[in-house]
Amino acid sequence: MQDLSALIDHEKGIIDRRVFWDDTIYQLELERIFARAWLFVAHESQVKDPGDFVTTYMGEDAVIVARGKDKNIHVMLNSCPHRGNRVCFAGEGKIRSFVCNYHGWAFGLDGALNGMPNNELYDHTPGFKKEDWGLHKARVASYRGLVFATFAPDAPGLDDYLGDFRWYLDAILDCADGGTEFLPGTTRSALKTNWKFPADNFVGDIYHALWTHLGGAEPTLGPFGGVKVDNDTSYQASVNGHGWEFSVQNNFGNAATMGDREIVRYMRSEYEAMEKRLGKVRAKMWGSVGSANIFPNFAFLPGYFTFRLFQPKGPHEIELHAWTLVPSAVSDELKDRWRIGAMRTFSPGGILEMDDGENWEHATTANAGAITRQQKLCYTMAPRAQEKDSVLPGRVHHGQLNDANQRLFYKRWLEFMMAEDWSQIPLDPISKPLSQGAITW
Ligand code: FES
Ligand SMILES: [Fe+2]
């Protein structure tokens, strides 16, 4: 294995292209990033009642997320400990137990091995205990409806993992009484991109929007919304490699881009209440031009409220899983408008997603060339330095147009990749108190 630290110069912003192509590096990412980090697995609204389940991936590990009879959410490997067969083939549903197709072992909603055909064969097997052979389980924790899991016993708690990024997340997750929910269904598509290109796009790349999304999207970006970006009235914030770039001027710019006046009307009507609830900054962040990514591969957009996972499938491919989140309290009609708006823009047939996907695919596949992949990529843009005593939490840069959040994403990537265990992975300090409206500026 090459010297990993030579691949990333986060201070200068120079990234080695092999991190987007090399299979050895990718295999190490599965072990050192995806098997360690807290990964998003479901929204609580997807597994509301006992028996509700969804299947997903943590890295390339297939997992089941199920609400148990005990009302707790359990996350476990979707692989039978007998001979390894997949235990559940459905994407989502309601079930009493998971029975393996191969020899019929049956597992509870909590992953416990409950029984098997010809039980007596094992009754006479010395030392065999059913408790030893349940589905392998992950640690599970939620933040305001978002369910995360990790396979690392030594990982810090989810609150520490998210740190001050929770303050920013509340701009969407704590927007109204009653919380939020995912609209039913998961949109799945495959893209021939390394997973880090979409992640770094969402963590801090508004720069591309000024060009990539100009042409074809003109009718959508025109009169109601648009991506007018001004470095005086916008920010980038990063905490533990999670990042959000956002405008505090162009209120509802993202939301308006969906082209539905009713949505913008609704958000405007809620602005005052939002401001009272969460303060000026977050009231603006709710729908303004911006994008975010929770390290490593869980991204979302204010306004559109599309939430998406870039599930790695080898170094050159992802499966993109996407959902639309809405405040639970809004009317069914408005929920439907959001669903259509998000589909129109960010779905496999969505005008903005198609623009992006093509770029990420070509950025990835170019590295098939032996000479091409020896070259470096330029993440150097730094018109403004990090703010010293920002009123905002985390590492803050004034101005959305900056590669800062992306450099910090790759810094985080290297910290995970170099660490032998979690004790070697630093966490940004948590500001106290991290209370609602603590920052009202
Ligand atoms: S592989 Fe599952 S029961 Fe044998
Ligand atoms: Fe984009």
Side-chain angles (χ1 to χ4, degrees), residues 201 208-209 212-213 346 352 356 360:
N201 176 281
H208 83 287
T212 287
H213 300 309
F346 284 95
L352 297 168
D356 290 324
W360 302 333

Side-chain angles (χ1 to χ4, degrees), residues 81-82 105 107 111-113 126-136:
H82 183 231
W105 283 26
F107 303 90
L113 173 59
F128 178 87
K129 290 202 288 278
K130 276 196 205 138
E131 306 87 271
D132 294 341
W133 295 102
L135 300 175
H136 182 70

Side-chain angles (χ1 to χ4, degrees), residues 97-110:
S97 66
F98 299 99
V99 180
C100 179
N101 277 348
Y102 200 171
H103 309 84
W105 283 26
F107 303 90
L109 297 163
D110 61 355

Side-chain angles (χ1 to χ4, degrees), residues 197-349:
F197 279 126
D200 89 29
N201 176 281
F202 279 77
V203 87
D205 191 334
I206 195 65
Y207 184 48
H208 83 287
L210 305 176
W211 187 260
T212 287
H213 300 309
L214 254 192
E218 178 65 45
T220 331
L221 296 182
F224 313 123
V227 285
K228 291 181 202 78
V229 177
D230 172 356
N231 259 359
D232 287 333
T233 52
S234 62
Y235 289 85
Q236 290 205 344
S238 171
V239 180
N240 294 334
H242 322 305
W244 194 324
E245 51 83 20
F246 57 93
S247 162
V248 290
Q249 180 203 37
N250 192 11
N251 312 359
F252 314 115
N254 265 8
T257 302
M258 286 185 291
D260 187 327
R261 289 165 198 259
E262 287 308 314
I263 291 177
V264 180
R265 210 165 277 158
Y266 166 75
M267 293 186 88
R268 281 196 199 288
S269 74
E270 288 297 305
Y271 182 77
E272 236 170 78
M274 268 293 280
E275 201 181 75
K276 268 202 201 107
R277 192 180 182 92
L278 296 174
K280 276 197 175 82
V281 178
R282 290 181 295 179
K284 286 181 178 162
M285 288 174 73
W286 191 34
S288 73
V289 170
S291 64
N293 186 68
I294 296 179
F295 190 87
N297 63 335
F298 182 45
F300 59 90
L301 293 169
Y304 310 93
F305 301 144
T306 175
F307 278 66
R308 48 233 354 264
L309 267 174
F310 311 120
Q311 305 278 26
K313 301 284 170 195
H316 316 140
E317 194 159 344
I318 62 162
E319 212 173 277
L320 173 54
H321 292 190
W323 306 268
T324 307
L325 174 139
V326 288
S328 299
V330 304
S331 68
D332 285 347
E333 191 215 324
L334 211 50
K335 286 178 186 174
D336 209 42
R337 284 179 178 276
W338 241 299
R339 181 183 63 77
I340 293 166
M343 288 300 113
R344 193 185 291 142
T345 48
F346 284 95
S347 71

